[in-house]
Every structure is written in C-alpha cells, then in structure tokens.
Amino acid sequence: MTATLIWTLWILAALVVTGLYLSWTAGRLDRLHARIDAARAALDAQLLRRASVAQELATSGVLDPAASIVLYEAAHAARQAEEDQREVAESDLSQALRAVFEHPQQVEEVRAAPGGEAATSELAEAVRRVPMARRFHNDAVGAARRLREHRKVRWFRLAGHAPFPMAFEMDDEPPAALVDRGTGPAA
C-alpha cells in the first residue's frame, strides 16, 4: 500500500512538473509572439517613415526632375503595397534611393539647395533605422521559429493557432553616399 502511494505521488509530481514546464514554454512562446508583433510594428513605422521622407524629398524641388519621379514612384509604391508585395516594393525603394544618391556629389548638390540639408539628414536617419528594425524583427522571428521546431511544442500544440512567424526579407542597404558622411545626430 505504501509503495503504491509513493509511486502515485511520484507520478503526480512528475505530471505537475511536466505541466509547469509546458506552461512555462507556452508562456515563453506567447512572449516571443508578442515581441514579434512589437518588432513588426516598429519595422512598419520605420519603413513608413523612410517612404514618407523620400516622398517629401522627391516633391520638395531639391532633386532634378528625373530623380524626383523615380524616387516618388518608388516611395509611393512602397507606401501603397499590399502585404504580399511589401518586401519587393521596399527593396525597390532601397534601389531607387541608391540610384538617386549614388555619388557623394549628388548628395552635396541636394544639401546645397534650400532645405536640402534638413531633408538629407532626415532621410539619412530614416534609412539608417530600417536595417536595425528589420534585424530586431528577424531576430525575434528566428527565436520563435527555433522554439516552435521543438517536438514538445509541436506535440502539445503549444503555439495554439498563432501563424508561423515569417522573416521580413528585403534589400535594405542604404545609399553609401548618403550615410557615409556622418549626417544626423546618430553618426
């Protein structure tokens, strides 16, 4: 009788410990998903800021007409892109920014125009923040993916109905001529 009671207590203790561990893992996964949501919101805000500043610069009259059209259309497409086309549109904006600000001389011409110094500083700051925001988002996605790949998470369905997290892959290389000069306060 005492042996049965001892075994029952051991089994009960093992079940409690397993339940606590699974609950802790589910909570950790939930926190990772919340972190992904927050990082995605920050990334969206930085992408929107970059597109808005690029559009503002394109319509300010400090760029030549051809560069203004290229930059405005890419920025507009990035702001209006559907979710499934967003990565491509943001990559196109990065390429347009690199084309418009390919040479340091182009950046200096824009800076020399009235209001150009403030506009280029604001754009440089915006393009610097996009890769950081994307890195934070993709790091959170990677952590959640690694946890979701564990057998215990799959077997016990600890992720619930949360969609599988997807990284945001885009070309976010800033124009070298724009950010190499050390513009803005974060340089």
Side-chain angles (χ1 to χ4, degrees), residues 31-49 78-79 81-91 129-142 145 163-170:
R31 287 187 301 277
L32 283 172
H33 284 186
R35 189 172 127 203
I36 289 171
D37 291 343
R40 180 57 188 246
L43 174 61
D44 287 343
Q46 292 304 323
L47 292 171
L48 180 63
R49 179 174 182 241
R79 289 183 73 176
E82 296 293 325
E83 192 59 36
D84 59 336
Q85 295 296 315
R86 183 105 186 260
E87 293 171 347
V88 173
E90 295 294 347
S91 294
R129 290 180 182 210
V130 167
M132 288 187 294
R134 190 175 75 86
R135 194 173 317 118
F136 288 140
H137 174 266
N138 288 351
D139 287 349
V141 166
R145 282 181 164 187
F164 194 75
M166 301 300 292
F168 194 87
E169 297 300 334
M170 65 171 271

Side-chain angles (χ1 to χ4, degrees), residues 55-73:
Q55 264 187 324
E56 187 178 311
L57 184 62
T59 58
S60 68
V62 297
L63 295 172
D64 64 85
S68 291
I69 290 171
V70 167
L71 193 57
Y72 182 83
E73 287 180 355

Side-chain angles (χ1 to χ4, degrees), residues 17-165:
V17 168
T18 302
L20 287 172
Y21 178 71
L22 290 175
S23 174
W24 176 81
T25 303
R28 180 173 169 224
L29 190 58
D30 187 50
R31 287 187 301 277
L32 283 172
H33 284 186
R35 189 172 127 203
I36 289 171
D37 291 343
R40 180 57 188 246
L43 174 61
D44 287 343
Q46 292 304 323
L47 292 171
L48 180 63
R49 179 174 182 241
R50 180 181 76 151
S52 297
V53 171
Q55 264 187 324
E56 187 178 311
L57 184 62
T59 58
S60 68
V62 297
L63 295 172
D64 64 85
S68 291
I69 290 171
V70 167
L71 193 57
Y72 182 83
E73 287 180 355
H76 181 71
R79 289 183 73 176
Q80 301 298 319
E82 296 293 325
E83 192 59 36
D84 59 336
Q85 295 296 315
R86 183 105 186 260
E87 293 171 347
V88 173
E90 295 294 347
S91 294
D92 290 345
L93 177 55
S94 294
Q95 292 169 1
L97 285 165
R98 284 195 306 272
V100 170
F101 297 105
E102 183 176 6
H103 302 291
Q105 177 187 353
Q106 292 166 314
V107 176
E108 292 306 321
E109 289 174 7
V110 172
R111 280 200 173 107
E117 182 68 37
T120 54
S121 294
E122 191 175 355
L123 182 62
E125 188 63 28
V127 298
R128 264 194 217 108
R129 290 180 182 210
V130 167
M132 288 187 294
R134 190 175 75 86
R135 194 173 317 118
F136 288 140
H137 174 266
N138 288 351
D139 287 349
V141 166
R145 282 181 164 187
R146 285 188 297 277
L147 184 58
R148 286 181 71 150
E149 289 171 356
H150 289 170
R151 274 183 259 154
K152 66 180 177 268
V153 173
R154 291 191 320 258
W155 288 352
F156 292 101
R157 301 177 192 262
L158 298 180
H161 297 289
F164 194 75

